[in-house]
């Protein structure tokens, strides 16, 4: 507001008088001229542009210079009047700038702080000439400038400058005698300045000063109800500020003290009110204060005091009571605090018939009552709300709030079920549904659907599928039947299908998913049908739904992973295999997948291993894993670091385990195929093999060939040349590992099997020298035993690939081993001797009779010194009889010496064998007769010769 300029004749006359003889007159005029120039610049400044920052600073400097020349001479009143006028001009120009800014758009910036600085300058200029003569109430006017400037600084939240202005105004007003001020406006200024100063002190957290100033203001009320009301309002404002604090720390008690002060002022102001308007206003303030007092008592848990306050407000001394909307709420909360739910329910039900209570108030009251009463108040809440539906101002938003409150948070399954039942009855009421029929409440309808949906979801997580299904069904009531919401309706049908799946009501689940598919056919529908097929053990149907899923537009491979998990959980292994097999088909297109290929293959092998007779399929997927790893690289397929090594090891070990299993089941063809994969997986590591891995590789290589040979024997189908060549390559690698230092002491049996297999393969390749070398090398190892050599010798001495040299070498080494032991097994010794004789007979024939005879003589030497029966009797008889019989041909052929050697050998052996006494006597007689005949024959021949000669 602009302030009228001083233009009275007295002022102009006083301005004409000046002391031209004053030495500082020229300086004063010069500074005032400069100040006036700046003020003219301000007056001429266009409102559309911000004030320059230099203008307030220049004026401040000029005013500082002028201050150094004060006080003005008492006789030079004209200077003071001139300064007074300049101050008013500067103030009015600030008012014009502020008014222009208020009229313009909010984005307009008139440099409000610069304008505030100019106001402050105007107040300082006026205070320099506060003792001017000829101006009425100059102190009041100067203090008024400071007061108004302080209000501006307070609005800008620059509280230090606001406090400075209020303090300057207080200093000026302190020179006056308040009791002698009669003007109502000036009296109001005294009070307002004190209240403003108190507010600023409160803002800078000087609470003690703020309260001291409020109490000091009680001396400035001048018996005016308006003043009492203003001061009471300030006490109330401070009480509100205290209550708004987040921390308690006794704030309720502080607020109560302030409210009691305000109440006391209201009562005093009411007693001195002169007009009806003043009385009504202060009564309204008093009721407001009492409501706050009741609220503070409620927060403090002083429920009796709350009831008393409400009772006082309603009775109002026999006059028309206060019917503020908050009173029933306060009373209801107090009754609840006292545990008197019947009175609280009465307050709540009275609000139903009170049309003056706003919707927000009674909805809040319903929420509060229900929160306190809990599940016991569910029915009351429903009844109150349905009763409120008869009132014209019930809105869809209120219905959403009430339903949301009744649904509440988690209160356990039982509590949730009770609440859900009431909510279901409430939202299914036609009157409630009618609230949401209009498109204007589409937002509220969506909110109601969300509340019911979330309630259903909460119960679903609690596995209370029955309650969950009811909530989802009721949420469908708040989905419009139009094209835009068909997807949402389909979603509702799908979740209902899930609920009834949980309840194992498969027929209803099938109905709902069929409805959903009609509205929005997608992968989820096919997946839910897949789940129904699993629960009905319809494996073919489940596999068909997997194919349906793949053809859907929104299909992602995640559904196949989920389908596999579902199938495994329901023990539908063929379905799980189908899902995972289809999953593998998506790894060739290069798109990102939710699960690595190696995990899918590992899972697939694991699933197949749980079913009997699936070894062939397991082999297929293990081969596929090896192939993919070879194509992509071990790190890309298995993974990097320790994880990758573990994956590789899993596949290798699984191949070994299945090979061992098939070997035990005598399925040697599959056994060989599985074991052949083991070194393949280990080879993919590429960073060198550990000793443990090398041992496993060696075992698998050897046992692979053994399984191939055994399978050949059982099937009676000879190995092809390619298979023989491959087996030979496997054994060559095994031999290198056996001879390397990376393998410790490998099992003796495995080494022996390797020798047998290698001997067999070299024989198939007609590599007789290699056969000999392998056996000779084996003999030099620590693992070689006479029993192993016996087996090698027997193997070499029979079959289509007979090798006399190897058989003889092995059996001779074996015989030496047996005989060198402390207690030889003469059963094995006899067998070896028999075999050596047989081999020598076959291999040497009649060309080296001495070699055969030497074996008989060695047998005789073995038998010498043995106890009766220690050497096997039957084998001893065989030796004696065969040696004797070998003399038959030489006898017929007239080879007397040869026949004599064999007959002597047979007789010597017979003498060492128990039970051959009869044969021995016969042999001795025959030998005697044979020798006699031979002597006679020789004599006759000699006589004849002599005679002839």
């Amino acid at each position: 507001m602009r302030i009228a300029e001083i233009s009275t004749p007295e002022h102009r006359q006083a301005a004409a008088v000046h002391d031209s003889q004053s030495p500082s007159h020229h300086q004063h005029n010069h500074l005032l001229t400069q100040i006036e120039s700046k003020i003219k610049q301000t007056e001429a400044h266009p409102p559309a542009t911000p004030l320059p920052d230099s203008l307030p600073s220049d004026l401040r400097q000029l005013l500082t210079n002028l201050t150094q020349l004060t006080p003005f001479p008492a006789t030079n009143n004209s200077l003071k009047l001139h300064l007074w006028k300049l101050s008013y001009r500067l103030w009015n120009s600030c008012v014009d700038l502020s008014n222009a800014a208020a009229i313009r758009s909010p984005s307009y910036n008139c440099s409000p702080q610069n304008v505030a600085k100019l106001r402050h300058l105007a107040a300082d200029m006026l205070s320099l000439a506060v003792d001017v003569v000829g101006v009425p109430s100059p102190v009041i006017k100067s203090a008024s400038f400071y007061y108004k400037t302080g209000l501006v600084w307070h609005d800008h939240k620059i509280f230090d400058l606001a406090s400075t202005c209020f303090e300057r105004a207080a200093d000026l007003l302190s020179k006056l005698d308040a009791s002698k001020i009669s003007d109502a406006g000036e009296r109001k200024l005294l009070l307002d300045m004190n209240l403003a100063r108190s507010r600023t002190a409160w803002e800078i957290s000087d609470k003690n000063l703020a309260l001291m100033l409020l109490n000091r203001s009680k001396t400035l009320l001048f018996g005016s109800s308006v003043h009492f009301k203003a001061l009471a309002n300030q006490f109330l404002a401070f009480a509100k500020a205290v209550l708004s604090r987040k921390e308690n720390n006794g704030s309720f008690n502080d607020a109560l003290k302030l409210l009691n002060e305000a109440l006391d002022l209201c009562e005093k102001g009411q007693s001195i009110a002169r007009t009806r308007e003043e009385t009504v206003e202060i009564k309204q303030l008093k009721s407001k204060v009492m409501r706050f007092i009741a609220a503070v008592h409620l927060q403090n848990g002083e429920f009796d005091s709350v009831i008393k306050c409400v009772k006082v407000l309603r009775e109002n001394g026999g006059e028309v009571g206060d019917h503020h909307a908050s009173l029933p709420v306060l009373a209801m909360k107090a009754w609840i605090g006292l545990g008197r739910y019947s009175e609280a329910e009465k307050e709540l039900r009275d609000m139903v018939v009170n049309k003056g209570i706003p919707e927000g108030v009674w909805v809040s009251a319903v929420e509060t009552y229900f929160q306190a009463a809990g599940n016991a108040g569910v029915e009351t809440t429903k009844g109150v709300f349905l009763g409120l539906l008869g009132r014209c101002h019930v809105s869809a938003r209120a219905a959403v709030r009430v339903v949301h409150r009744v649904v509440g948070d988690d209160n356990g399954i039982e509590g949730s079920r009770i609440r859900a039942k009431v909510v279901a009855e409430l939202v299914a009421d036609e009157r409630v549904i009618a609230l949401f029929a209009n498109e204007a409440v589409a937002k509220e309808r969506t909110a109601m659907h969300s509340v019911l949906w979330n309630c259903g979801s909460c119960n679903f997580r609690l596995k209370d599928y029955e309650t969950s299904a009811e909530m989802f069904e009721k949420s469908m009531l708040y989905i419009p039947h139009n094209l835009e919401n068909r997807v949402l309706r389909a979603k509702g049908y799908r979740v209902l299908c899930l609920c009834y799946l949980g309840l194992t009501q498969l027929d209803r689940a099938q109905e709902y998913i069929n409805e959903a598919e009609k509205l929005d056919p997608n992968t989820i529908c096919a997946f839910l049908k897949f789940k129904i097929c699993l629960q009905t053990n319809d494996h073919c149907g489940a596999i068909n739904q997997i194919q349906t899923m793949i053809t859907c537009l929104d299909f992602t491979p995640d559904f196949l992973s989920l389908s596999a998990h579902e199938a495994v959980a329901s023990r539908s292994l063929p379905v799980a295999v189908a899902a995972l097999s289809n999953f593998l088909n998506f790894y060739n297109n290069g798109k990102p997948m939710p699960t690595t290929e190696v995990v899918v293959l590992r899972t697939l092998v694991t699933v197949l291993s749980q079913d009997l007779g699936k070894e062939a399929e397991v082999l297929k997927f293990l081969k596929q894993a090896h192939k993919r790893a070879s194509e992509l690289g071990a790190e890309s397929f298995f993974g990097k670091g320790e994880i990758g090594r573990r994956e590789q090891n899993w596949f290798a070990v699984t191949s070994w385990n299945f090979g061992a299993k098939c070997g035990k089941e005598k399925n040697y063809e599959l056994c060989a195929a599985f074991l052949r994969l083991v070194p393949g997986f280990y080879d993919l590591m590429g960073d060198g093999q550990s000793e443990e891995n090398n041992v496993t590789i060696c075992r698998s290589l050897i046992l692979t060939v053994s399984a191939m040979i055994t399978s050949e024997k059982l099937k009676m189908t000879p190995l092809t040349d390619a298979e023989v060549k491959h087996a030979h390559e496997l054994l060559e690698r095994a031999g290198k590992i056996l001879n390397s230092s990376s393998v410790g002491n490998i099992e003796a049996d495995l080494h022996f099997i390797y020798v047998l297999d290698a001997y067999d393969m070299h024989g198939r390749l007609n590599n007789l020298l290699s056969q000999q070398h392998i056996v000779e090398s084996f003999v030099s190892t620590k693992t070689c035993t006479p029993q192993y050599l016996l087996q090698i010798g027997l193997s070499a001495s029979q079959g289509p690939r007979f090798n006399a040299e190897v058989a003889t070498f092995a059996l001779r080494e074996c015989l030496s081993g047996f005989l060198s032991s402390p207690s030889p097994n003469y059963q094995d010794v006899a067998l070896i001797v028999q075999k050596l004789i047989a081999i020598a007979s076959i291999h040497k024939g009649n060309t080296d009779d001495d070699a055969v005879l030497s074996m008989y003589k060695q047998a005789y030497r073995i038998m010498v010194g043995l106890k009766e029966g220690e050497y096997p009797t039957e084998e001893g008889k065989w030796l004696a009889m065969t040696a004797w019989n070998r003399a038959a041909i030489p006898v017929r052929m007239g080879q007397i010496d040869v026949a004599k050697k064999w007959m002597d050998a047979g007789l010597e052996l017979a003498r060492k064998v128990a039970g051959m006494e009869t044969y021995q006597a016969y042999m001795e007689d025959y030998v005697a007769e044979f020798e006699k005949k031979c002597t006679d024959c020789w004599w006759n021949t000699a006589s004849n010769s002599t005679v002839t000669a």
Side-chain angles (χ1 to χ4, degrees):
M1 179 178 70
R2 289 175 62 90
I3 300 176
E5 296 179 2
I6 302 171
S7 59
T8 62
E10 292 80 6
H11 295 164
R12 287 194 298 272
Q13 183 179 1
V17 180
H18 61 277
D19 188 3
S20 60
Q21 302 302 319
S22 174
S24 60
H25 175 74
H26 179 71
Q27 292 177 336
H28 289 152
N29 282 339
H30 179 68
L31 287 172
L32 289 175
T33 301
Q34 288 181 306
I35 290 172
E36 185 173 10
S37 173
K38 293 294 181 181
I39 292 173
K40 286 180 180 179
Q41 183 180 342
T42 305
E43 291 172 333
H45 185 79
T49 58
L51 279 171
D53 294 335
S54 60
L55 185 58
S57 60
D58 291 346
L59 265 174
R60 173 58 66 186
Q61 184 61 45
L62 291 172
L63 188 60
T64 300
N65 296 337
L66 184 63
T67 303
Q68 293 172 355
L69 300 177
T70 56
F72 296 120
T75 57
N76 199 349
N77 198 52
S78 61
L79 288 174
K80 297 178 184 178
L81 286 172
H82 187 44
L83 187 60
W84 193 278
K85 185 173 182 179
L86 290 176
S87 172
Y88 269 73
R89 286 174 60 189
L90 179 59
W91 183 272
N92 288 333
S93 64
C94 290
V95 172
D96 291 338
L97 289 171
S98 297
N99 291 340
I103 295 171
R104 293 178 180 272
S105 64
S107 61
Y108 169 70
N109 180 14
C110 67
S111 302
Q113 289 196 16
N114 284 337
V115 175
K117 289 177 183 178
L118 292 178
R119 286 179 183 268
H120 203 152
L121 282 166
D124 287 342
M125 289 168 63
L126 205 61
S127 68
L128 290 177
V130 72
D131 58 347
V132 66
V133 178
V135 177
S137 304
V139 174
I140 294 291
K141 289 182 171 61
S142 180
S144 174
F145 268 38
Y146 275 120
Y147 165 69
K148 293 174 182 176
T149 303
L151 292 178
V152 173
W153 284 126
H154 189 95
D155 291 341
H156 291 320
K157 299 188 182 304
I158 305 177
F159 299 116
D160 54 342
L161 291 178
S163 181
T164 300
C165 290
F166 292 141
E167 287 172 0
R168 293 293 300 275
D171 288 340
L172 290 169
L173 293 174
S174 65
K175 300 173 183 179
L176 303 176
D177 186 356
S179 61
K180 295 181 180 181
I181 298 176
S182 58
D183 183 74
E186 293 178 356
R187 287 180 172 181
K188 189 68 167 60
L189 175 64
L190 292 175
L191 179 64
D192 290 346
M193 191 281 300
N194 236 29
L195 296 179
R197 187 182 174 195
S198 175
R199 286 194 295 273
T200 301
W202 186 275
E203 291 292 346
I204 60 177
S205 299
D206 193 351
K207 303 296 188 295
N208 292 331
L209 176 60
L211 295 177
M212 182 197 73
L213 291 171
L214 282 189
N215 288 319
R216 186 185 294 176
S217 299
K218 293 178 181 178
T219 63
L220 302 174
L221 299 177
F222 301 107
S224 169
S225 64
V226 175
H227 290 195
F228 277 93
K229 178 188 170 188
L231 184 55
N233 261 322
Q234 194 57 59
F235 272 108
L236 176 60
F238 284 171
K240 288 180 180 180
V242 171
L243 291 173
S244 66
R245 293 176 188 165
K246 291 183 179 179
E247 66 280 359
N248 190 340
N249 297 332
S251 60
F252 291 140
N253 292 331
D254 294 340
L256 195 57
K257 290 177 184 177
L258 294 170
L259 290 169
N260 285 330
E261 290 282 357
L263 181 61
D264 183 58
L265 289 168
C266 288
E267 290 174 347
K268 291 177 180 177
Q270 183 179 351
S271 64
I272 62 172
R274 296 182 179 84
T275 64
R276 178 178 177 79
E277 183 180 0
E278 290 179 355
T279 302
V280 170
E281 288 178 355
I282 205 160
K283 278 185 177 181
Q284 290 175 347
L285 180 59
K286 179 182 175 182
S287 295
K288 185 176 183 180
V289 172
M290 285 196 70
R291 290 194 298 273
F292 272 97
I293 291 174
V296 172
H297 283 309
L298 186 66
Q299 292 293 333
N300 279 335
E302 300 165 351
F303 304 116
D304 288 326
S305 299
V306 177
I307 297 298
K308 290 176 183 178
C309 288
V310 172
K311 187 176 181 181
V312 170
L313 285 167
R314 284 176 172 172
E315 292 175 355
N316 198 22
E319 300 180 9
V320 178
D322 188 358
H323 297 290
H324 193 270
S326 64
L327 292 183
V329 179
L330 290 170
M332 185 196 71
K333 290 182 178 181
W335 289 125
I336 289 173
L338 293 170
R340 297 168 64 175
Y341 291 102
S342 58
E343 285 85 350
E345 184 177 341
K346 182 178 180 299
E347 291 285 350
L348 187 62
R349 292 188 181 278
D350 287 343
M351 283 191 284
V352 176
V353 296
N354 187 348
K355 295 186 177 180
I357 297 177
E359 179 185 275
V361 174
W362 61 256
V363 171
S364 176
V366 168
E367 292 175 335
T368 304
Y369 174 80
F370 180 74
Q371 186 175 7
N375 294 332
V378 171
E379 290 293 338
T380 300
T381 303
K382 183 187 76 171
V384 168
F385 181 75
L386 292 177
L388 289 167
L389 285 175
R391 293 167 51 171
C392 59
H393 64 271
V394 175
S395 66
R397 179 175 297 179
V400 173
R401 282 185 61 183
V402 170
V403 169
H404 185 268
R405 175 58 64 184
V406 174
V407 167
D409 299 323
D410 184 18
N411 285 288
I413 294 180
E414 194 59 36
S416 179
R417 186 180 290 118
I418 294 171
R419 291 165 177 250
K421 181 180 178 182
V422 173
V423 167
E425 295 174 1
L426 190 63
V427 300
D429 190 283
E430 293 182 358
R431 293 170 294 175
V432 178
I433 296 173
L435 296 175
F436 298 87
N438 195 336
E439 279 303 315
V441 293
K443 184 177 179 181
E444 286 75 12
R445 183 170 57 240
T446 302
M448 177 63 87
H449 175 267
S450 298
V451 169
L452 297 174
W453 182 276
N454 292 338
C455 179
S457 300
C458 180
N459 283 280
F460 190 89
R461 286 192 293 271
L462 293 172
K463 300 188 183 304
D464 184 4
Y465 300 121
E466 186 175 355
T467 304
S468 177
E470 188 172 20
M471 285 294 97
F472 286 129
E473 285 174 351
K474 294 303 182 287
S475 72
M476 299 285 285
L477 297 173
Y478 295 87
I479 303 176
H481 289 74
N482 54 27
L483 188 62
E484 291 79 6
N485 289 281
R486 63 184 302 170
V487 174
L488 187 59
R489 291 188 67 80
K491 183 179 179 182
Y493 285 131
R494 288 196 297 268
V495 77
L496 281 167
C497 171
L498 275 174
C499 292
Y500 286 107
L501 272 172
L503 293 169
T504 64
Q505 297 181 23
L506 303 182
D507 291 340
R508 294 199 67 179
Q510 188 70 51
E511 291 175 10
Y512 278 120
I513 198 59
N514 288 340
E515 291 298 321
E517 194 170 38
K518 291 176 185 177
L519 293 171
D520 182 28
N522 57 20
T523 311
I524 299 176
C525 291
F527 177 73
L528 290 175
K529 285 189 171 184
F530 167 83
K531 284 178 68 70
I532 294 172
C533 290
L534 286 181
Q535 293 201 21
T536 56
N537 291 321
D538 182 5
H539 291 178
C540 292
I543 294 172
N544 290 336
Q545 289 303 323
I546 290 175
Q547 298 303 322
T548 303
M549 276 189 259
I550 296 172
T551 60
C552 292
L553 295 176
D554 62 337
F555 169 78
T556 61
D558 299 85
F559 283 100
L560 290 176
S561 177
L562 190 59
S563 300
H565 283 293
E566 291 285 340
V568 170
S570 62
R571 303 299 300 168
S572 302
L573 301 185
V575 180
V577 171
L580 292 170
S581 300
N582 280 283
F583 201 180
L584 288 175
N585 296 333
F586 290 89
Y587 283 93
N588 296 322
N589 54 18
K591 294 181 179 179
M593 297 292 284
T595 308
T596 57
E597 187 175 4
V598 67
V599 172
V600 178
L601 280 164
R602 172 162 47 80
T603 306
L604 193 50
V605 170
T606 304
V607 170
L608 285 168
S609 65
Q610 297 175 26
D611 205 357
L612 296 176
K614 299 295 182 182
E615 289 80 6
E617 291 186 61
V618 171
L619 178 63
K620 181 182 80 171
F621 290 113
L622 286 174
K623 286 182 176 179
Q624 183 173 346
H626 184 268
K627 178 183 176 184
R628 291 290 290 165
S630 302
E631 292 172 353
L632 301 174
E635 284 194 352
S636 299
F637 182 76
F638 291 114
K640 297 180 179 179
E642 183 62 25
I643 294 175
R645 283 191 290 273
R646 287 179 181 177
E647 289 286 1
Q648 282 179 298
N649 193 61
W650 186 90
F651 279 93
V653 170
T654 301
S655 300
W656 171 269
N657 292 339
F658 269 96
K661 178 176 179 288
C662 291
K664 290 178 182 178
E665 294 172 354
K666 301 188 184 305
N667 190 343
Y668 297 109
E669 185 176 359
L670 282 177
C671 172
F674 278 117
L675 293 176
R676 194 179 293 122
L677 286 172
V678 176
F681 282 116
Y682 282 124
D683 290 344
L684 291 170
M685 292 184 178
D687 56 351
Q689 305 292 345
S690 66
E691 181 176 339
E692 182 181 357
N693 290 348
N694 275 329
V695 170
T696 305
I697 291 171
C698 186
R699 288 174 183 163
S700 61
L701 292 169
I702 295 169
L703 294 178
T704 298
V705 178
S706 293
M708 292 170 67
I709 295 171
T710 309
S711 176
E712 175 192 43
K713 292 177 180 177
L714 291 176
K715 286 184 170 183
M716 293 185 293
T717 303
L719 295 175
T720 63
D721 292 342
E723 289 173 331
V724 171
K725 184 179 179 181
H726 178 62
H728 179 259
E729 291 171 354
L730 297 179
L731 289 172
E732 274 193 341
R733 183 180 177 187
K736 291 177 182 178
I737 296 174
L738 284 172
N739 295 328
S740 68
S741 59
S742 63
V743 178
N745 293 326
I746 199 165
E747 298 94 328
D749 289 345
L750 191 68
H751 197 173
F752 169 64
I753 294 171
Y754 161 76
V755 173
L756 281 180
D757 291 345
Y759 176 85
D760 189 315
M761 289 301 119
H762 282 295
R764 293 171 190 261
L765 296 172
N766 294 320
N767 196 344
L768 303 182
L769 292 176
S770 296
Q771 285 182 312
Q772 181 80 19
H773 176 71
I774 288 170
V775 176
E776 289 175 354
S777 299
F778 178 64
V779 170
S780 64
T781 62
K782 295 179 181 180
T783 57
C784 180
T785 65
Q787 286 292 345
Y788 291 153
L789 290 173
L790 176 59
Q791 294 296 322
I792 294 171
L794 294 175
S795 176
S797 64
Q798 58 194 13
R801 284 173 285 277
F802 172 73
N803 189 327
E805 288 81 2
V806 173
T808 301
F809 173 78
L811 290 172
R812 284 186 181 279
E813 291 293 328
C814 175
L815 182 61
S816 298
F818 278 133
L819 293 176
S820 63
S821 66
S823 54
N825 184 345
Y826 288 104
Q827 185 70 46
D828 290 337
V829 169
L831 175 63
I832 294 169
V833 170
Q834 258 187 327
K835 282 292 181 183
L836 284 171
I837 291 171
I839 294 169
S841 300
I842 296 170
H843 182 58
K844 301 292 183 178
N846 296 323
T847 61
D848 193 0
D849 201 46
D850 290 338
V852 179
L853 181 61
S854 67
M855 291 304 305
Y856 280 95
K857 288 183 177 182
Q858 184 176 4
Y860 172 76
R861 288 192 296 272
I862 292 170
M863 295 168 70
V864 172
L866 296 181
K867 296 177 182 179
E868 185 177 339
E870 193 171 357
Y871 193 92
T873 303
E874 294 300 321
E875 280 71 12
K877 288 180 178 180
W878 182 89
L879 286 171
M881 297 298 290
T882 54
W884 180 266
N885 292 335
R886 282 181 177 272
I889 294 175
V891 168
R892 292 175 185 175
M893 297 294 295
Q895 299 174 353
I896 305 300
D897 293 335
V898 175
K900 188 75 169 53
K901 284 191 297 184
W902 282 113
M903 284 189 288
D904 289 342
L907 182 58
E908 287 175 353
L909 289 169
R911 287 171 181 163
K912 296 295 181 183
V913 180
M916 291 194 72
E917 290 78 4
T918 304
Y919 290 102
Q920 180 182 341
Y922 168 77
M923 290 177 179
E924 289 175 348
D925 293 342
Y926 185 84
V927 169
E929 185 180 352
F930 179 75
E931 288 179 347
K932 182 180 179 182
K933 287 182 179 181
C934 288
T935 302
D936 293 341
C937 181
W938 175 80
W939 179 255
N940 292 330
T941 304
S943 298
N944 293 332
S945 298
T946 302
V947 172
T948 303

